[in-house]
Amino acid sequence: FPYTTLFRSEFPYALGQLSRQREAEALHHIASDASIAEVILSGGDPLSLGNARLGALTQALASATRERGGLDSLRIHTRSAIVLPSRVDAGLLEWLRAQPWRVTVVLHVNHPHELSQDALDAVRALHGTGAQILNQTVLLAGVNDDPKTLAELSWRLHRAGVLPYYLHLTDAVRGTAHFAVDQSRGIEIVDALARELPGYL
């Protein structure tokens, strides 16, 4: 894709939207390559799609991969459960339970204050579908760039059935330099967390 150096506000999302044609092309590619074991729904937020659209997409995916032996895993990257907990509705939960693959949902929570009671209820509902729930966090200067905050986040996530997946530095995007955390500081934070938390957190 020719826009790999762009990110977020500068990314030409309209060119990458999942049109029916692009969906058909992706399904054809997945169906023809038996080495693909996992499909990831990401890039924007896949839960911005309605439940019917998600259902049609995964039904098409199941049909496309049936002859080649199917898939092992479906991974969904979303922030909706945190910023719009009501999106985790009965239809979405039913869709998740119906998947024939192991489902992993990767949340994006940067600070423990984002875990409102509504968000925690939504996360627990996702967990109740049998999906594995992971979290990714971006280090943000002045927001979460200290071990105490991140340790609290890890423990609160754990109590909701979520395991940390990765912690990463911000991408170099124009207008966000004030959030950048130096790599050496990031390493210090990870070392401090390793001394304070169990390995799985």
Side-chain angles (χ1 to χ4, degrees):
F1 195 69
Y3 298 97
T4 53
T5 59
L6 300 179
F7 189 73
R8 298 286 191 256
S9 62
E10 297 179 329
F11 194 88
Y13 286 106
L15 297 179
Q17 288 181 350
L18 188 61
S19 66
R20 297 296 182 179
Q21 179 181 346
R22 291 175 65 88
E23 178 183 327
E25 292 170 354
L27 290 169
H28 175 74
H29 175 75
I30 294 166
S32 62
D33 187 349
S35 70
I36 297 173
E38 178 178 64
V39 168
I40 302 170
L41 302 182
S42 185
D45 195 316
L47 297 191
S48 64
L49 299 174
N51 295 332
R53 179 80 167 93
L54 289 170
L57 177 61
T58 50
Q59 284 178 1
L61 183 60
S63 296
T65 57
R66 191 168 291 120
E67 288 188 11
R68 48 145 275 192
L71 298 168
D72 293 322
S73 179
L74 176 69
R75 188 180 349 151
I76 302 158
H77 285 246
T78 182
R79 192 157 158 76
S80 290
I82 305 305
V83 300
L84 187 64
S86 61
R87 176 62 187 94
V88 181
D89 58 16
L92 180 69
L93 299 173
E94 181 180 353
W95 171 70
L96 288 170
R97 289 189 194 98
Q99 297 314 306
W101 316 289
R102 178 69 168 144
V103 176
T104 300
V105 177
V106 182
L107 303 173
H108 180 165
V109 187
N110 295 321
H111 194 281
H113 289 174
E114 293 184 281
L115 295 171
S116 66
Q117 188 57 55
D118 286 344
L120 289 170
D121 290 344
V123 170
R124 290 188 178 102
L126 290 171
H127 192 267
T129 66
Q132 181 175 31
I133 314 296
L134 306 176
N135 184 63
Q136 61 174 333
T137 297
V138 181
L139 275 176
L140 300 169
V143 176
N144 64 4
D145 58 333
D146 66 276
K148 181 179 178 181
T149 298
L150 292 174
E152 180 185 351
L153 175 61
S154 284
W155 280 118
R156 291 197 69 194
L157 288 167
H158 178 57
R159 288 193 288 271
V162 182
L163 287 176
Y165 176 35
Y166 55 83
L167 174 68
H168 61 93
L169 301 174
T170 58
D171 291 284
V173 182
R174 187 164 50 243
T176 63
H178 57 293
F179 285 124
V181 175
D182 188 75
Q183 181 174 318
S184 61
R185 174 58 181 156
I187 293 171
E188 290 175 3
I189 291 170
V190 170
D191 287 345
L193 289 171
R195 290 191 295 271
E196 183 171 345
L197 295 172
Y200 57 87
L201 295 183

